Amino acid sequence: QKEVEQNSGPLSVPEGAIASLNCTYSDRGSQSFFWYRQYSGKSPELIMSIYSNGDKEDGRFTAQLNKASQYVSLLIRDSQPSDSATYLCAVKGNNAGNMLTFGGGTRLMVKP
Amino acid sequence: EAGVTQFPSHSVIEKGQTVTLRCDPISGHDNLYWYRRVMGKEIKFLLHFVKESKQDESGMPNNRFLAERTGGTYSTLKVQPAELEDSGVYFCASSQSRGQQFFGPGTRLTVL
């Protein structure tokens, strides 16, 4: 079992729709959760971080965390073609280190 | 403010040769990380520097990989001798203390 799992996609949504990206993780002691967006050939860019159960909203993005279910999701409202990218879920454990454990990423395609 | 920079952007070498990758972190960031993504797999942690000291090198695959950060500024990652399975994209990231990790654009390494 992978430590952080994501559906590789592609997830295709029409422009203006809500895109829902999901991630599960295996380490129950994980404390910090991140969503990175990566355009092809570019650096991963942090778009959301979440540390406690519930929802966290930032503009068109909402991150949702459920530690009991070991599940974190990212909702993108009013999806735009410019949102087309690979979305990476990353998790940081509660050990002394600061390493991120990544999922394989979900490729999102927003069609005009 | 300049972001994390990496050099070269691409490198093609033959099996058995040596390659050195360079990372310049964001100015003032004491924490520097190396990650890599091999084809079809997720981004995986290699090691973490705090200033010039190796804080965590648990992800280094074997002793063909040598990372240095003399003076606590830029870092190099040397692969010697390179093997076919070393092909992938090598990312560097930096952070202030244990905060957000900012990623560079990566070096794409191809070993023939």
Side-chain angles (χ1 to χ4, degrees):
Chain A
Q1 181 191 12
K2 291 183 179 179
E3 293 181 66
V4 179
E5 297 219 42
Q6 296 181 254
N7 188 318
S8 61
L11 172 66
S12 182
V13 300
E15 183 174 357
I18 296 175
S20 178
L21 305 162
N22 305 313
C23 171
T24 58
Y25 59 94
S26 61
D27 182 0
R28 192 169 282 280
S30 298
Q31 296 292 319
S32 309
F33 307 86
F34 307 90
W35 284 99
Y36 283 81
R37 177 178 61 199
Q38 186 179 23
Y39 294 111
S40 181
K42 303 294 185 182
S43 354
E45 174 194 8
L46 181 69
I47 53 171
M48 288 290 286
S49 57
I50 187 165
Y51 305 99
S52 55
N53 282 327
D55 295 0
K56 179 182 177 182
E57 187 174 318
D58 184 0
R60 295 187 296 112
F61 299 100
T62 298
Q64 298 174 317
L65 174 61
N66 184 326
K67 289 187 178 180
S69 300
Q70 295 173 241
Y71 176 91
V72 58
S73 66
L74 178 70
L75 301 177
I76 306 175
R77 288 181 299 282
D78 188 24
S79 295
Q80 301 297 308
S82 58
D83 295 326
S84 298
T86 295
Y87 289 79
L88 303 165
C89 174
V91 173
K92 191 187 297 185
N94 64 350
N95 55 23
N98 209 33
M99 61 178 276
L100 295 174
T101 301
F102 281 88
T106 298
R107 189 156 71 93
L108 173 66
M109 297 171 57
V110 180
K111 298 193 172 180
Chain B
E1 178 186 274
V4 177
T5 57
Q6 293 187 244
F7 181 83
S9 57
H10 293 84
S11 180
V12 180
I13 61 172
E14 293 190 351
K15 177 182 171 180
Q17 290 187 321
T18 297
V19 63
T20 300
L21 314 181
R22 172 170 170 146
C23 168
D24 286 77
I26 293 172
S27 178
H29 283 193
D30 287 340
N31 291 263
L32 186 150
Y33 313 83
W34 284 99
Y35 293 84
R36 76 171 177 178
R37 184 170 195 162
V38 297
M39 185 67 70
K41 301 282 190 179
E42 62 275 13
I43 296 173
K44 280 197 176 282
F45 169 81
L46 296 177
L47 88 160
H48 170 202
F49 283 100
V50 178
K51 297 184 180 179
E52 66 276 10
S53 300
K54 291 176 185 173
Q55 178 79 10
D56 180 357
E57 52 185 329
S58 61
M60 293 289 264
N62 53 61
N63 59 10
R64 296 186 292 103
F65 289 75
L66 175 64
E68 294 180 319
R69 194 182 181 196
T70 306
T73 54
Y74 70 91
S75 174
T76 58
L77 179 64
K78 182 162 72 173
V79 185
Q80 179 182 31
E83 298 289 345
L84 299 178
E85 63 265 25
D86 300 332
S87 295
V89 181
Y90 289 76
F91 290 102
C92 176
S94 71
S95 71
Q96 280 186 332
S97 65
R98 293 169 63 88
Q100 177 184 344
Q101 293 184 29
F102 293 84
F103 281 76
T107 293
R108 182 174 294 278
L109 174 64
T110 301
V111 182
L112 302 176

